[in-house]
Protein backbone atom coordinates (compact mmCIF):
# COMPACT_ATOMS: atom_id res chain seq x y z
CA UNK A 1 0.00 0.00 0.00
CA UNK A 2 1.05 3.60 -0.49
CA UNK A 3 0.67 6.57 1.79
CA UNK A 4 1.47 10.28 1.52
CA UNK A 5 3.68 11.10 4.50
CA UNK A 6 3.94 14.64 5.80
CA UNK A 7 7.62 15.26 6.52
CA UNK A 8 7.29 18.72 8.02
CA UNK A 9 8.57 21.92 6.41
CA UNK A 10 5.74 21.85 3.80
CA UNK A 11 6.90 18.54 2.32
CA UNK A 12 5.05 15.33 1.45
CA UNK A 13 6.49 12.06 0.21
CA UNK A 14 4.58 9.05 -1.12
CA UNK A 15 6.02 5.91 0.45
CA UNK A 16 5.31 2.22 0.39
CA UNK A 17 3.72 1.12 3.66
CA UNK A 18 3.31 -2.32 5.19
CA UNK A 19 -0.17 -3.45 6.13
CA UNK A 20 0.55 -4.05 9.79
CA UNK A 21 -1.41 -6.79 11.61
CA UNK A 22 -4.67 -5.54 13.06
CA UNK A 23 -5.24 -5.34 16.79
CA UNK A 24 -8.22 -7.33 17.99
CA UNK A 25 -10.41 -4.19 18.16
CA UNK A 26 -9.36 -2.65 14.82
CA UNK A 27 -10.58 -2.75 11.24
CA UNK A 28 -8.69 -2.16 8.01
CA UNK A 29 -10.32 0.35 5.70
CA UNK A 30 -9.72 0.85 2.00
CA UNK A 31 -9.76 4.64 1.95
CA UNK A 32 -11.94 5.91 -0.88
CA UNK A 33 -12.05 9.64 -0.07
CA UNK A 34 -10.31 11.95 2.40
CA UNK A 35 -11.02 15.66 2.74
CA UNK A 36 -8.37 18.33 3.04
CA UNK A 37 -9.19 20.31 6.17
CA UNK A 38 -8.14 23.76 7.29
CA UNK A 39 -6.31 21.97 10.09
CA UNK A 40 -4.23 20.14 7.47
CA UNK A 41 -3.36 23.54 6.01
CA UNK A 42 -2.29 24.79 9.45
CA UNK A 43 -0.15 21.68 9.98
CA UNK A 44 1.37 22.11 6.51
CA UNK A 45 2.50 25.58 7.59
CA UNK A 46 4.00 24.30 10.85
CA UNK A 47 1.13 25.32 13.11
CA UNK A 48 -0.72 23.21 15.66
CA UNK A 49 -3.44 20.68 14.92
CA UNK A 50 -6.01 19.36 17.39
CA UNK A 51 -3.09 17.45 18.95
CA UNK A 52 0.68 17.53 18.61
CA UNK A 53 1.96 16.47 15.17
CA UNK A 54 5.26 14.58 14.95
CA UNK A 55 6.41 13.99 11.35
CA UNK A 56 6.70 11.77 9.47
CA UNK A 57 2.99 10.99 9.64
CA UNK A 58 0.15 10.31 7.22
CA UNK A 59 -2.27 13.20 7.66
CA UNK A 60 -5.94 13.18 6.69
CA UNK A 61 -8.61 12.96 9.39
CA UNK A 62 -11.77 13.37 7.29
CA UNK A 63 -12.17 10.04 5.55
CA UNK A 64 -14.49 7.27 4.44
CA UNK A 65 -13.99 3.91 2.80
CA UNK A 66 -14.75 0.21 2.69
CA UNK A 67 -14.01 -2.24 5.50
CA UNK A 68 -11.67 -4.90 4.12
CA UNK A 69 -10.71 -6.82 7.27
CA UNK A 70 -11.81 -6.89 10.91
CA UNK A 71 -9.95 -7.79 14.09
CA UNK A 72 -10.80 -10.85 16.15
CA UNK A 73 -12.96 -9.01 18.71
CA UNK A 74 -14.81 -6.70 16.32
CA UNK A 75 -18.59 -6.98 16.28
CA UNK A 76 -21.08 -5.00 14.22
CA UNK A 77 -18.75 -4.39 11.28
CA UNK A 78 -17.92 -6.75 8.42
CA UNK A 79 -15.89 -6.68 5.22
CA UNK A 80 -17.75 -4.70 2.59
CA UNK A 81 -19.33 -2.21 4.99
CA UNK A 82 -19.03 1.43 4.02
CA UNK A 83 -17.83 3.55 6.94
CA UNK A 84 -16.88 7.06 7.97
CA UNK A 85 -14.20 7.51 10.61
CA UNK A 86 -14.30 9.69 13.70
CA UNK A 87 -10.58 10.43 14.08
CA UNK A 88 -10.58 11.65 17.68
CA UNK A 89 -9.61 9.00 20.24
CA UNK A 90 -10.10 9.87 23.92
CA UNK A 91 -8.46 8.14 26.87
CA UNK A 92 -11.64 7.99 28.96
CA UNK A 93 -9.65 8.21 32.21
CA UNK A 94 -8.42 11.80 32.61
CA UNK A 95 -10.39 14.46 34.47
CA UNK A 96 -11.95 16.11 31.37
CA UNK A 97 -13.04 12.72 30.01
CA UNK A 98 -14.59 11.75 33.35
CA UNK A 99 -16.18 15.19 33.69
CA UNK A 100 -18.13 14.94 30.42
CA UNK A 101 -15.71 17.19 28.50
CA UNK A 102 -13.73 14.63 26.57
CA UNK A 103 -12.87 17.05 23.76
CA UNK A 104 -10.31 18.41 26.23
CA UNK A 105 -8.83 14.94 26.84
CA UNK A 106 -5.33 15.23 28.28
CA UNK A 107 -4.19 12.27 26.16
CA UNK A 108 -6.09 12.99 22.95
CA UNK A 109 -4.95 11.07 19.91
CA UNK A 110 -6.28 11.53 16.42
CA UNK A 111 -6.07 9.52 13.23
CA UNK A 112 -4.47 11.74 10.64
CA UNK A 113 -2.82 13.90 13.30
CA UNK A 114 -0.95 11.82 15.89
CA UNK A 115 -1.57 8.48 14.12
CA UNK A 116 -1.43 7.66 10.42
CA UNK A 117 -4.69 8.69 8.79
CA UNK A 118 -6.56 8.85 5.53
CA UNK A 119 -4.05 10.15 2.98
CA UNK A 120 -3.13 6.53 2.31
CA UNK A 121 -4.67 3.66 0.37
CA UNK A 122 -5.52 1.78 3.57
CA UNK A 123 -5.99 2.77 7.19
CA UNK A 124 -6.13 0.72 10.38
CA UNK A 125 -8.63 2.27 12.79
CA UNK A 126 -10.31 1.22 16.04
CA UNK A 127 -13.71 -0.24 15.21
CA UNK A 128 -15.26 2.06 17.81
CA UNK A 129 -14.25 5.04 15.62
CA UNK A 130 -16.10 3.72 12.56
CA UNK A 131 -19.70 4.54 11.66
CA UNK A 132 -21.66 2.74 8.97
CA UNK A 133 -22.76 4.76 5.96
CA UNK A 134 -25.74 4.16 3.71
CA UNK A 135 -24.35 2.01 0.85
CA UNK A 136 -25.64 4.43 -1.77
CA UNK A 137 -23.95 7.48 -0.21
CA UNK A 138 -20.93 8.62 -2.26
CA UNK A 139 -17.66 8.22 -0.38
CA UNK A 140 -16.85 11.90 -0.88
CA UNK A 141 -20.04 12.70 1.01
CA UNK A 142 -19.16 10.17 3.71
CA UNK A 143 -15.81 11.89 4.18
CA UNK A 144 -17.73 15.06 5.11
CA UNK A 145 -19.03 13.38 8.28
CA UNK A 146 -16.11 14.61 10.39
CA UNK A 147 -16.39 18.32 9.50
CA UNK A 148 -20.17 18.06 9.78
CA UNK A 149 -19.79 16.50 13.25
CA UNK A 150 -17.59 19.43 14.29
CA UNK A 151 -20.21 21.85 12.95
CA UNK A 152 -22.92 20.07 14.95
CA UNK A 153 -20.94 20.63 18.15
CA UNK A 154 -20.74 24.32 17.25
CA UNK A 155 -24.43 24.54 16.34
CA UNK A 156 -25.32 23.01 19.69
CA UNK A 157 -23.30 25.77 21.39
CA UNK A 158 -24.82 28.53 19.23
CA UNK A 159 -28.33 27.95 20.61
CA UNK A 160 -30.30 28.77 17.47
CA UNK A 161 -34.03 28.97 18.18
CA UNK A 162 -36.88 28.62 15.67
CA UNK A 163 -37.36 32.02 14.06
CA UNK A 164 -33.81 33.26 14.65
CA UNK A 165 -31.82 35.31 12.18
CA UNK A 166 -28.41 33.74 11.66
CA UNK A 167 -25.40 35.31 9.96
CA UNK A 168 -22.67 32.93 8.80
CA UNK A 169 -19.36 34.64 8.08
CA UNK A 170 -17.30 32.70 5.57
CA UNK A 171 -18.57 30.53 2.72
CA UNK A 172 -16.00 27.77 2.70
CA UNK A 173 -17.08 24.18 3.30
CA UNK A 174 -17.60 24.77 7.02
CA UNK A 175 -19.64 27.92 6.48
CA UNK A 176 -21.86 26.18 3.93
CA UNK A 177 -22.46 23.30 6.33
CA UNK A 178 -23.36 25.87 9.00
CA UNK A 179 -25.86 27.51 6.62
CA UNK A 180 -27.65 24.18 6.24
CA UNK A 181 -27.53 23.32 9.94
CA UNK A 182 -28.91 26.76 10.81
CA UNK A 183 -31.83 26.03 8.50
CA UNK A 184 -32.40 22.62 10.08
CA UNK A 185 -32.28 24.28 13.52
CA UNK A 186 -35.23 26.49 12.63
CA UNK A 187 -33.61 29.77 11.57
CA UNK A 188 -36.11 31.99 9.78
CA UNK A 189 -33.37 33.87 7.92
CA UNK A 190 -29.82 32.79 7.10
CA UNK A 191 -27.39 35.39 5.74
CA UNK A 192 -24.00 34.42 4.34
CA UNK A 193 -21.07 36.83 4.23
CA UNK A 194 -18.50 35.76 1.63
CA UNK A 195 -16.36 37.77 -0.84
CA UNK A 196 -15.90 34.94 -3.40
CA UNK A 197 -18.74 34.70 -5.93
CA UNK A 198 -18.41 30.91 -6.35
CA UNK A 199 -19.01 30.43 -2.64
CA UNK A 200 -21.86 32.95 -2.47
CA UNK A 201 -23.61 31.06 -5.27
CA UNK A 202 -23.06 27.77 -3.48
CA UNK A 203 -24.45 29.32 -0.31
CA UNK A 204 -27.65 30.34 -2.04
CA UNK A 205 -27.96 26.88 -3.56
CA UNK A 206 -27.83 25.18 -0.15
CA UNK A 207 -30.30 27.45 1.61
CA UNK A 208 -28.94 30.91 2.40
CA UNK A 209 -31.61 33.62 1.99
CA UNK A 210 -29.04 36.29 1.24
CA UNK A 211 -25.36 36.20 0.25
CA UNK A 212 -23.43 39.41 0.83
CA UNK A 213 -20.01 40.41 -0.49
CA UNK A 214 -18.53 42.18 2.57
CA UNK A 215 -15.88 43.88 0.42
CA UNK A 216 -18.55 45.68 -1.61
CA UNK A 217 -21.48 46.04 0.76
CA UNK A 218 -22.09 47.10 4.35
CA UNK A 219 -22.67 43.71 5.94
CA UNK A 220 -24.05 45.08 9.21
CA UNK A 221 -26.58 47.24 7.37
CA UNK A 222 -27.68 44.35 5.16
CA UNK A 223 -28.11 42.09 8.20
CA UNK A 224 -30.16 44.73 10.08
CA UNK A 225 -32.31 45.25 7.01
CA UNK A 226 -32.91 41.53 6.50
CA UNK A 227 -33.51 40.85 10.20
CA UNK A 228 -35.73 43.88 10.76
CA UNK A 229 -34.02 44.49 14.08
CA UNK A 230 -30.67 45.41 15.66
CA UNK A 231 -28.75 42.57 14.02
CA UNK A 232 -28.43 38.81 13.87
CA UNK A 233 -29.52 36.64 16.79
CA UNK A 234 -26.63 34.27 16.13
CA UNK A 235 -23.39 34.99 14.28
CA UNK A 236 -21.16 32.08 13.30
CA UNK A 237 -17.62 33.08 12.30
CA UNK A 238 -15.97 30.51 10.00
CA UNK A 239 -12.94 32.34 8.57
CA UNK A 240 -10.31 32.78 11.27
CA UNK A 241 -8.93 36.22 10.48
CA UNK A 242 -9.28 39.44 12.40
CA UNK A 243 -11.49 41.19 9.83
CA UNK A 244 -14.03 38.37 9.95
CA UNK A 245 -13.97 38.33 13.74
CA UNK A 246 -14.54 42.08 13.94
CA UNK A 247 -17.48 41.81 11.55
CA UNK A 248 -19.00 39.07 13.72
CA UNK A 249 -19.32 41.51 16.63
CA UNK A 250 -20.54 44.31 14.35
CA UNK A 251 -23.39 42.22 12.91
CA UNK A 252 -24.53 40.76 16.26
CA UNK A 253 -27.79 42.15 17.57
CA UNK A 254 -28.98 42.63 21.14
CA UNK A 255 -28.66 39.46 23.19
CA UNK A 256 -26.91 37.63 20.35
CA UNK A 257 -24.56 34.68 20.53
CA UNK A 258 -21.27 35.02 18.66
CA UNK A 259 -19.78 31.62 17.86
CA UNK A 260 -16.08 31.83 16.98
CA UNK A 261 -15.88 28.51 15.18
CA UNK A 262 -12.89 28.89 12.86
CA UNK A 263 -9.40 27.56 13.57
CA UNK A 264 -7.23 30.70 13.84
CA UNK A 265 -3.47 30.90 13.87
CA UNK A 266 -2.24 30.13 17.41
CA UNK A 267 -0.96 33.68 17.87
CA UNK A 268 -3.99 35.44 16.37
CA UNK A 269 -5.61 38.15 18.47
CA UNK A 270 -8.34 40.73 17.90
CA UNK A 271 -9.37 43.74 20.01
CA UNK A 272 -12.56 42.85 21.89
CA UNK A 273 -15.29 45.52 21.67
CA UNK A 274 -15.99 45.47 25.38
CA UNK A 275 -18.69 48.13 25.30
CA UNK A 276 -20.58 46.20 22.61
CA UNK A 277 -20.35 43.00 24.69
CA UNK A 278 -21.69 44.94 27.68
CA UNK A 279 -24.38 46.99 25.92
CA UNK A 280 -25.64 44.20 23.66
CA UNK A 281 -25.33 41.47 26.31
CA UNK A 282 -23.40 39.32 23.86
CA UNK A 283 -22.54 35.70 24.57
CA UNK A 284 -19.22 34.59 23.07
CA UNK A 285 -18.68 30.89 22.46
CA UNK A 286 -15.90 28.74 21.09
CA UNK A 287 -16.15 25.21 19.69
CA UNK A 288 -13.49 22.50 19.66
CA UNK A 289 -13.66 19.25 17.63
CA UNK A 290 -16.64 16.88 17.75
CA UNK A 291 -17.47 15.11 21.00
CA UNK A 292 -20.39 12.68 20.56
CA UNK A 293 -21.72 14.23 17.34
CA UNK A 294 -20.33 11.87 14.68
CA UNK A 295 -23.33 9.55 14.64
CA UNK A 296 -25.70 12.48 14.12
CA UNK A 297 -23.54 13.68 11.24
CA UNK A 298 -23.60 10.26 9.56
CA UNK A 299 -27.36 10.02 10.01
CA UNK A 300 -27.92 13.46 8.45
CA UNK A 301 -25.72 12.60 5.47
CA UNK A 302 -27.20 9.14 4.98
CA UNK A 303 -30.72 10.59 5.14
CA UNK A 304 -29.88 13.23 2.52
CA UNK A 305 -30.65 16.12 4.87
CA UNK A 306 -27.29 17.81 4.18
CA UNK A 307 -26.27 18.59 0.60
CA UNK A 308 -22.50 18.37 0.18
CA UNK A 309 -22.38 17.95 -3.60
CA UNK A 310 -21.98 21.70 -4.35
CA UNK A 311 -19.21 21.90 -1.75
CA UNK A 312 -16.84 19.32 -3.27
CA UNK A 313 -15.07 21.16 -6.06
CA UNK A 314 -11.72 19.41 -6.66
CA UNK A 315 -10.20 15.93 -6.32
CA UNK A 316 -6.55 14.79 -6.31
CA UNK A 317 -4.55 11.60 -5.92
CA UNK A 318 -2.18 10.95 -3.01
CA UNK A 319 0.76 11.83 -5.23
CA UNK A 320 -0.62 15.36 -5.52
CA UNK A 321 -0.77 16.40 -1.88
CA UNK A 322 1.00 19.73 -2.30
CA UNK A 323 -1.39 20.68 -5.12
CA UNK A 324 -4.35 19.59 -3.01
CA UNK A 325 -3.25 21.68 -0.02
CA UNK A 326 -2.62 24.74 -2.17
CA UNK A 327 -5.97 24.34 -3.93
CA UNK A 328 -7.73 24.18 -0.55
CA UNK A 329 -6.03 27.45 0.35
CA UNK A 330 -7.30 29.18 -2.81
CA UNK A 331 -10.56 31.00 -3.47
CA UNK A 332 -11.37 28.89 -6.53
CA UNK A 333 -12.13 25.86 -4.35
CA UNK A 334 -14.61 25.05 -1.62
CA UNK A 335 -13.77 21.51 -0.50
CA UNK A 336 -10.84 19.52 -1.87
CA UNK A 337 -10.87 15.73 -1.68
CA UNK A 338 -7.99 13.28 -1.97
CA UNK A 339 -8.90 9.92 -3.52
CA UNK A 340 -6.09 7.56 -2.43
CA UNK A 341 -7.22 4.63 -4.57
CA UNK A 342 -7.94 6.71 -7.65
CA UNK A 343 -6.64 5.01 -10.78
Amino acid sequence: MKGAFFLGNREFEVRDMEKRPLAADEVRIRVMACGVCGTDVHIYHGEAGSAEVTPPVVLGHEYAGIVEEVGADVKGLAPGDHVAVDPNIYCGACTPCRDGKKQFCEHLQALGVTRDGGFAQYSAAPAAQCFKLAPELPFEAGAMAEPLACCLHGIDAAGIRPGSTVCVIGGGAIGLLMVQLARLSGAAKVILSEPVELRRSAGLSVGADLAVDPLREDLSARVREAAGKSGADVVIECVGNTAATRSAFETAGFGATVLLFSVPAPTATVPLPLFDVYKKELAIRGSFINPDTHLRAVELLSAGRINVEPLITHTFGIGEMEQAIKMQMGGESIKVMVLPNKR
Side-chain angles (χ1 to χ4, degrees):
M1 61 178 274
K2 293 187 181 298
F5 281 82
F6 176 63
L7 306 181
N9 197 30
R10 305 186 186 185
E11 285 189 63
F12 287 91
E13 180 180 83
V14 176
R15 298 179 179 178
D16 289 321
M17 301 174 64
E18 293 294 326
K19 288 185 181 178
R20 64 168 176 80
L22 292 177
D25 64 345
E26 289 184 319
V27 300
R28 195 179 323 279
I29 301 165
R30 180 178 173 88
V31 181
M32 302 306 293
C34 185
V36 178
C37 175
T39 298
D40 295 314
V41 174
H42 281 288
I43 293 169
Y44 176 76
H45 286 98
E47 298 167 0
S50 58
E52 192 66 32
V53 177
T54 305
V57 64
V58 176
L59 300 179
H61 58 275
E62 304 176 355
Y63 63 104
I66 305 168
V67 174
E68 289 228 336
E69 183 184 354
V70 301
D73 294 342
V74 172
K75 293 178 173 50
L77 289 174
D81 285 342
H82 293 191
V83 295
V85 176
D86 178 356
N88 296 309
I89 303 168
Y90 312 99
C91 76
C94 67
T95 297
C97 282
R98 291 166 63 86
D99 194 30
K101 301 170 185 174
K102 63 184 182 182
Q103 66 269 37
F104 308 123
C105 175
E106 295 169 358
H107 310 288
L108 177 68
Q109 296 189 49
L111 295 159
V113 183
T114 64
R115 300 186 186 185
D116 290 340
F119 293 147
Q121 292 180 309
Y122 293 87
S123 171
Q129 304 304 120
C130 299
F131 293 77
K132 285 186 184 179
L133 298 168
E136 65 274 12
L137 189 73
F139 289 109
E140 292 90 339
M144 294 294 290
E146 194 276 344
L148 179 58
C150 292
C151 289
L152 282 166
H153 182 51
I155 283 286
D156 290 345
I160 297 169
R161 298 186 299 170
S164 296
T165 295
V166 177
C167 179
V168 177
I169 297 177
I174 292 296
L176 298 182
L177 291 175
M178 288 296 197
V179 165
Q180 297 181 68
L181 290 175
R183 271 278 186 235
L184 289 175
S185 300
K189 298 183 181 70
V190 181
I191 301 153
L192 175 66
S193 171
E194 169 54 54
V196 177
E197 196 279 331
L198 167 71
R199 297 177 176 183
R200 290 198 304 275
S201 295
L204 293 170
S205 77
V206 298
D209 297 289
L210 175 66
V212 177
D213 179 351
L215 302 182
R216 296 177 177 270
E217 301 180 77
D218 184 331
L219 175 63
S220 297
R222 295 299 306 275
V223 170
R224 289 194 299 272
E225 178 185 10
K229 49 190 173 184
S230 61
D233 300 300
V234 175
V235 184
I236 304 175
E237 187 277 313
C238 304
V239 181
N241 62 38
T242 54
T245 305
R246 282 197 302 269
S247 70
F249 287 98
E250 291 166 0
T251 56
F254 296 129
T257 295
V258 177
L259 176 67
L260 301 178
F261 185 85
S262 62
V263 181
T267 57
T269 60
V270 64
L272 184 64
L274 295 177
F275 191 78
D276 279 357
V277 175
Y278 155 72
K279 184 178 179 181
K280 294 182 180 180
E281 291 192 357
L282 299 182
I284 305 168
R285 297 296 303 266
S287 181
F288 182 61
I289 61 177
N290 62 337
D292 300 319
T293 52
H294 211 89
L295 179 58
R296 290 162 59 195
V298 166
E299 289 178 340
L300 285 168
L301 289 166
S302 293
R305 299 300 301 277
I306 297 290
N307 181 10
V308 297
E309 184 178 352
L311 281 59
I312 300 168
T313 55
H314 297 80
T315 61
F316 293 87
I318 58 170
E320 303 170 300
M321 284 306 309
E322 185 174 355
Q323 298 97 307
I325 292 282
K326 289 181 177 178
M327 181 60 71
Q328 187 62 66
M329 292 164 56
E332 65 270 36
S333 70
I334 299 177
K335 188 65 176 183
V336 173
M337 287 280 167
V338 173
L339 309 180
N341 284 286
K342 180 181 179 180
R343 299 297 182 187

